[in-house]
Amino acid sequence: MVKLKFSILLLALMTMTDILASSGLTIEEINSGLFAPKGIRNIVSMLDGEHYTQLSDDNTQIVKYSYKTGKQVGVVFDVKTARECSLDHIDGYTFSPDEKRILIQTETTPIYRHSYTAVYYLFNVANNKLQKLTEGAIRIPTFSPDGNQLAFVRDNDIFLIKFLYGYAESRVTKDGELNKVINGAPDWVYEEEFAFNSALTFSPDSKMIAYIKWNESNVPTYTFPLYKGLAPALDEYADYPGTYSYKYPIAGQENSEVSVMTFDIFTKVTKRMNLDISSEDYIPRIKFTNDPDKLAVITLNRHQNRLDLYYANPKTGVCNLILREENDRYLRDNILESIQFYDNNFTIISERNGWPHIYLYTLSGTLVKQVTDGEYEVKRLYGWDEEDDLFYYLSNEGSPLTTSVWKIDRRGNKTRLSDDTQGINSAGFSAKYNYFINSFQNVTTPNVYTIKDNRGKTLCTLKDNSEVLELAQAANLPQKEFFTFTTADGTTLNGWMMKPLDFDAGKKYPVLMYQYSGPGSQQVLDAWSVSWETYMTTQGYITVCVDGRGTGGRGEDFEKCTYMSIGVKEADDQVAAARYLGTLPYVDKGRIGIWGWSYGGYMTLMSMCQGAKIFKVGIAVAAPTDWRYYDSVYTERYMRTPQENDTGYDKSSVFSRIDKMHGKLLLVHGSADDNVHLRNMMEFSEALVQEGIDFDMMVYTNRNHGIAGGNTRNHLYNKLTNYIKANL
């Protein structure tokens, strides 16, 4: 049987190799995920710290594995053997804190980037029995710490189920209403820009529920049209188009009014926490400490340059300020997840010395020590093993192009736990920090997943994506080469370049530049990627990406130098990159193009309108065109409000430099983009028309910011390809 499976796999690889060799790389192959590494998903560490569970590839089982060996040791749930189970597959699962029950997720329907509704079932591990949790689709089901209760959101209200009382269901809030009041789940802008989906939690003693309430009644409504379309077809709009309306605060406009509420499960008393904040402040996180009388409430002022940590008494509503973190410009949003609570301490990642590092505090807010230090960025704090006083974290020490997993002891001695220094590593730790699953990749290696112990010893390899690597090698794909150059003002920038396989240094080649360029982003990384740029390189183009000022990985000053006028220095750097490329003997400086998506699309337009007639063609996909059109949280973090910074908004607007537009331009957008609205393209296209500037545009029906579904991606990238070939 093993030989047969190997023979089939070998035959499949040989067949695909023949296809690739005979036809060359295609857009359809890239979009199909042929060269995309297979991941390891739905990993959950079990309480004993020795085992983990994972959803099977066919989504029918929750399988139990050993960390020491990586081998299967059991099956926790199976749709085929669970009693009273009529499901043929599941979408996900969550253990109760005591692991006696498992919440089974089915019929998942996305809402926005992080949010979704689903139909849930509860599985009793002891008797192997499945039962429906409640009727209909719900959001963010959350177990109580004792495992005997579960709270969830339905139609913007919170409900509570008590397992020990016959699964009795009661209603916690009653004022939830679409586009008015949301209890326990974030509004659109909080979800999008503070990257979370749930604002609902139990106290450690399971006696209280705490939640954030959003009153978005006064937030302006944004509406966009919906058509019948295809893939999927919205049949309800077959005769007349419909609309979708939701609350979307643009820069300078009113945000939701937010408050922190608690509900006493025994007395049924609801209280509002008495926070000393203004109506414009944000509350992006609430977390209970290990003390049931201390609910941690994290607030940000509207400028997002001051973070306050309060402890609220959930019974009385009294709040005490414990920590204030301030910055001259703004605080990065990843600070939120770094605030982790322990029995007598908490942690935070701060940039107070110019680089993001870990700091340890007592629970009362007294600084104990700065844990890490140096000219590198701590990207993520995995946690603190209190017993051994070891911090586990991810950083880019050594190079902004790479990341490694580290631990540091009480004396400041650091140990690199991931083997490879050249590449991108990340980790998922076991419950007791004895083991972690490491993901490694670089430009020549698709993701390799290994299990390591907390000394860095590799115990086994779970997945090496060798099939993807063999396909890529058989396709003879071009490889990225990293380079640096220095701009006229003395700034050193990092980039990558791919050259055609038959590259001849004696010839002149057209160049297609790709970038994103958004604040804190990085595209120049030692990471695996087979993309449209790879395809275009096989078509005879040199493809290049340069991370300009404002991007991440190089400390606070490099990232935040664009503050109050984003887009300006970034565009200057893309022009500088094009000028540098034009000096290379094998580059045709008269045939340089640029493209990007989202912020990268905006940067394409800003660069083409910078004044330098250097880009022959540009493509802007889903691009913002004026930050006055974009959401409040993201925009004001980097620009403050238009009322405070009107000059900065003008400088950062594509409209203000449209008279300097040069090059052939294609604009692309999805008509149902809830993030960067179609309005951006429509207003800019009208301005181009009135300026008498020729351009091309493409709108994709009912597509959101990702512009995908059915054959859409293939059509999109073929459109981009044809445009580049016709004009560059």
Side-chain angles (χ1 to χ4, degrees), residues 84-242:
E84 300 185 23
C85 178
S86 59
L87 306 173
D88 57 9
H89 72 281
I90 67 175
D91 297 337
Y93 66 98
T94 305
F95 280 98
S96 64
D98 57 11
E99 295 183 346
K100 293 180 179 179
R101 297 181 175 92
I102 305 176
L103 193 64
I104 302 296
Q105 178 182 326
T106 69
E107 299 181 46
T108 306
T109 303
I111 304 174
Y112 300 118
R113 191 184 298 268
H114 302 283
S115 57
Y116 57 88
T117 62
V119 174
Y120 290 91
Y121 296 79
L122 205 63
F123 178 68
N124 188 306
V125 176
N127 64 19
N128 195 39
K129 186 178 178 181
L130 188 73
Q131 68 179 90
K132 203 165 192 178
L133 178 68
T134 185
E135 289 303 315
I138 62 172
R139 295 178 63 181
I140 56 172
T142 306
F143 281 108
S144 61
D146 64 10
N148 293 323
Q149 302 172 94
L150 184 143
F152 64 87
V153 171
R154 177 197 290 135
D155 298 330
N156 290 7
D157 273 320
I158 299 170
F159 293 78
L160 177 67
I161 292 177
K162 296 181 178 181
F163 302 140
L164 301 182
Y165 292 87
Y167 288 70
E169 183 175 311
S170 59
R171 190 165 182 167
V172 174
T173 65
K174 297 180 180 179
D175 57 348
E177 186 177 348
L178 179 66
N179 286 336
K180 289 188 178 180
V181 174
I182 314 172
N183 293 292
D187 67 3
W188 185 93
V189 73
Y190 268 74
E191 176 185 334
E192 175 69 23
E193 304 303 354
F194 292 128
F196 72 122
N197 181 33
S198 176
L200 169 67
T201 185
F202 282 87
S203 61
D205 59 8
S206 301
K207 294 179 179 179
M208 306 281 290
I209 293 174
Y211 60 96
I212 303 176
K213 178 191 291 288
W214 280 265
N215 185 336
E216 56 179 2
S217 301
N218 294 327
V219 177
T221 300
Y222 191 87
T223 301
F224 55 78
L226 292 172
Y227 306 92
K228 178 185 177 183
L230 296 170
L234 306 179
D235 292 332
E236 61 269 36
Y237 306 128
D239 293 328
Y240 291 91

Side-chain angles (χ1 to χ4, degrees), residues 89 121 249 255 277 291 297 316 320 324 334 337 358 536 546 552 637 651-652 660 717:
H89 72 281
Y121 296 79
N255 289 315
I277 61 174
D291 182 345
V297 180
T316 66
N320 294 307
R324 172 164 287 179
N334 65 357
E337 292 307 309
I358 304 166
M536 292 305 291
V546 171
R637 182 184 301 149
K651 289 179 180 177
S652 297
K660 299 176 184 176
Y717 279 109

Side-chain angles (χ1 to χ4, degrees), residues 352-425:
R352 65 192 63 170
N353 71 352
W355 297 84
H357 284 291
I358 304 166
Y359 292 79
L360 179 67
Y361 283 82
T362 65
L363 206 58
S364 61
T366 300
L367 177 64
V368 177
K369 63 178 177 179
Q370 179 179 343
V371 179
T372 59
D373 191 21
E375 293 191 356
Y376 61 88
E377 295 194 353
V378 173
K379 295 293 189 179
R380 181 178 176 183
L381 171 61
Y382 292 117
W384 177 37
D385 182 345
E386 293 180 88
E387 184 176 341
D388 293 330
D389 197 9
L390 292 168
F391 290 84
Y392 296 90
Y393 63 96
L394 184 75
S395 83
N396 67 357
E397 184 173 357
S399 169
L401 276 62
T402 66
T403 57
S404 298
V405 181
W406 296 80
K407 70 176 178 181
I408 186 169
D409 66 18
R410 61 173 61 89
R411 297 181 182 85
N413 298 314
K414 292 182 295 186
T415 304
R416 190 195 306 271
L417 300 178
S418 46
D419 295 332
D420 300 276
T421 58
Q422 300 302 312
I424 300 296
N425 290 276

Side-chain angles (χ1 to χ4, degrees), residues 602-623:
Y602 160 69
M603 190 47 47
T604 295
L605 298 176
M606 289 290 285
S607 300
M608 295 179 73
C609 296
Q610 190 259 10
K613 296 182 178 181
I614 197 164
F615 296 109
K616 186 179 182 184
V617 62
I619 300 174
V621 181

